[in-house]
Each structure stands twice: as structure tokens, then as C-alpha cells.
Amino acid sequence: MNRSKTFSLNSVVKVGILAAFAYVLMFIQFPIPIAPPFMKVDLADVPALIGGFAMGPWYGVLIQLIKNILNLTKTTTGGVGELSNFIVGAVFVYVSSSIYKNRKTKKTAIFSLALGVVAMTAVATLSNAFIVFPTYAKVMGLDLNAFVGMTAKTNGLVKSYFSLMLLSIAPFNLVKGFVASFVTELVYKRVSPIIKRR
């Protein structure tokens, strides 16, 4: 077997393992009061971030894709949640790892993760406002105001659909992104030598 084929097989195995870890981490969730009850924080972005940092941005995106395809087997959102998770997660990983690959230092890692969180939050807020929530409402037979009502029970700042996006969805993604970034910073240097090994 030649070197390129070995590297290709090696990469496929690593992506598969990281995607499997990401899928398992989707089951470990915790709610935060500012968000709708069906949105929970998890660490499933961490393996994709590690893969993106160690192997390149598109590997991280591929891990996000596989994770969400696997999650379709137990979807309760008709695939809408998985599509949203992929779009938002892919932006997070791609932006962060694209910046990091140009200069692999601790400061760059922190800076790239912070920009990734900001980009993810912006995309998540816009996509949820105009695509995800309206589509999910149609799939579930709900009115958009139902999301406002269920969120307002724990987040008193939510009074309208606009405030739902600005004061619930945006902060939720900021929290989720910074939690994933913090954990990635803690574990990356420990596991990256294993991932980079050929």
C-alpha cells in the first residue's frame, strides 16, 4: 500500500472515531434557563474542533456531518434539529480551525475559538430566526409564539419572537460555544499527538 493510500485510510479511521465520540457526547446534555427547553448544551463540538485543529478545517466539518447523520436515527425534530446543528457546528469548526492552521500557538487557538464562537452565534441566530424555527414549527404543527411562551417561563426577558432570538438563542450559542472552546483548550494538546500520528 502506498503512502497516500495509507494516509487516506488513517484519516478515515480518525474521522470515524472522532465522529463516534461526538455522537456519544450528544447524549450528555444539560439545560440552561435562558433557552427553550428543547435546546440543551452538550460537548459534541469538541471532537470536531480537535479534528479540525489537528487535521484541517474540512475534517472538522466532516466530523460534524457524520455526527448529525448518526443522530438522524433518533431524531425527534424530523431532521430539522440535525440540519441546524450541522450548519451551526460546521461554521464554528471551520472558522476556528481555518484561523488556527495558519499559526498554531496557544494565543491563536484562543483567538480562533473566540471568533468561531462569534461566527457560530451570528449564523445560529439568523438561521434559527428565518429558517430553523419556522420549519420546526411547521413540522411540529406549532405557532412561532409557542416558542416564545415556553421560553418565557424560565427567561423573563423573552417577550416576543425578536427577543427570543436576541436574548435567548444568541446567548445560548455563546454559552455553548465557550464551554466547547474551554474543554477543547484543556484537552487538545494532550490528544493532538495521537491524532497527528501516521
Side-chain angles (χ1 to χ4, degrees), residues 89-105:
V91 168
F92 185 17
V93 170
Y94 186 82
V95 170
S96 298
S97 52
S98 292
I99 297 170
Y100 180 72
K101 75 175 183 178
N102 295 316
R103 186 173 182 179
K104 297 186 176 182
T105 66

Side-chain angles (χ1 to χ4, degrees), residues 13-193:
V13 171
K14 290 172 183 174
V15 166
I17 291 171
L18 288 168
F21 272 121
Y23 174 63
V24 170
L25 287 172
M26 292 183 84
F27 292 91
I28 305 170
Q29 308 172 328
F30 58 92
I32 55 175
I34 61 171
F38 55 84
M39 294 179 68
K40 295 180 175 65
V41 172
D42 60 52
L43 295 176
D45 289 329
V46 173
L49 286 166
I50 291 171
F53 275 28
M55 303 168 66
W58 288 111
Y59 286 103
V61 171
L62 183 58
I63 292 165
Q64 292 282 27
L65 178 62
I66 295 170
K67 172 193 78 175
N68 281 288
I69 289 174
L70 290 172
N71 203 56
L72 282 172
T73 60
K74 67 174 192 67
T75 185
T76 58
T77 65
V80 177
E82 286 71 27
L83 177 61
S84 176
N85 188 285
F86 169 67
I87 292 171
V88 172
V91 168
F92 185 17
V93 170
Y94 186 82
V95 170
S96 298
S97 52
S98 292
I99 297 170
Y100 180 72
K101 75 175 183 178
N102 295 316
R103 186 173 182 179
K104 297 186 176 182
T105 66
K106 186 176 180 64
K107 285 184 179 179
T108 304
I110 294 170
F111 177 71
S112 66
L113 286 166
L115 281 187
V117 171
V118 172
M120 175 188 77
T121 300
V123 170
T125 304
L126 292 172
S127 64
N128 274 294
F130 297 108
I131 301 170
V132 176
F133 271 62
T135 305
Y136 185 52
K138 286 183 180 179
V139 170
M140 302 303 291
L142 298 171
D143 183 88
L144 287 176
N145 287 325
F147 299 123
V148 176
M150 66 178 70
T151 308
K153 292 178 181 178
T154 54
N155 184 346
L157 298 174
V158 174
K159 307 291 185 183
S160 64
Y161 190 66
F162 176 78
S163 62
L164 169 65
M165 294 299 142
L166 191 63
L167 302 174
S168 176
I169 304 305
F172 168 83
N173 282 282
L174 286 172
V175 170
K176 182 179 179 182
F178 280 117
V179 168
S181 297
F182 178 73
V183 175
T184 300
E185 269 292 306
L186 285 179
V187 304
Y188 178 68
K189 288 299 182 182
R190 293 177 175 85
V191 301
S192 60

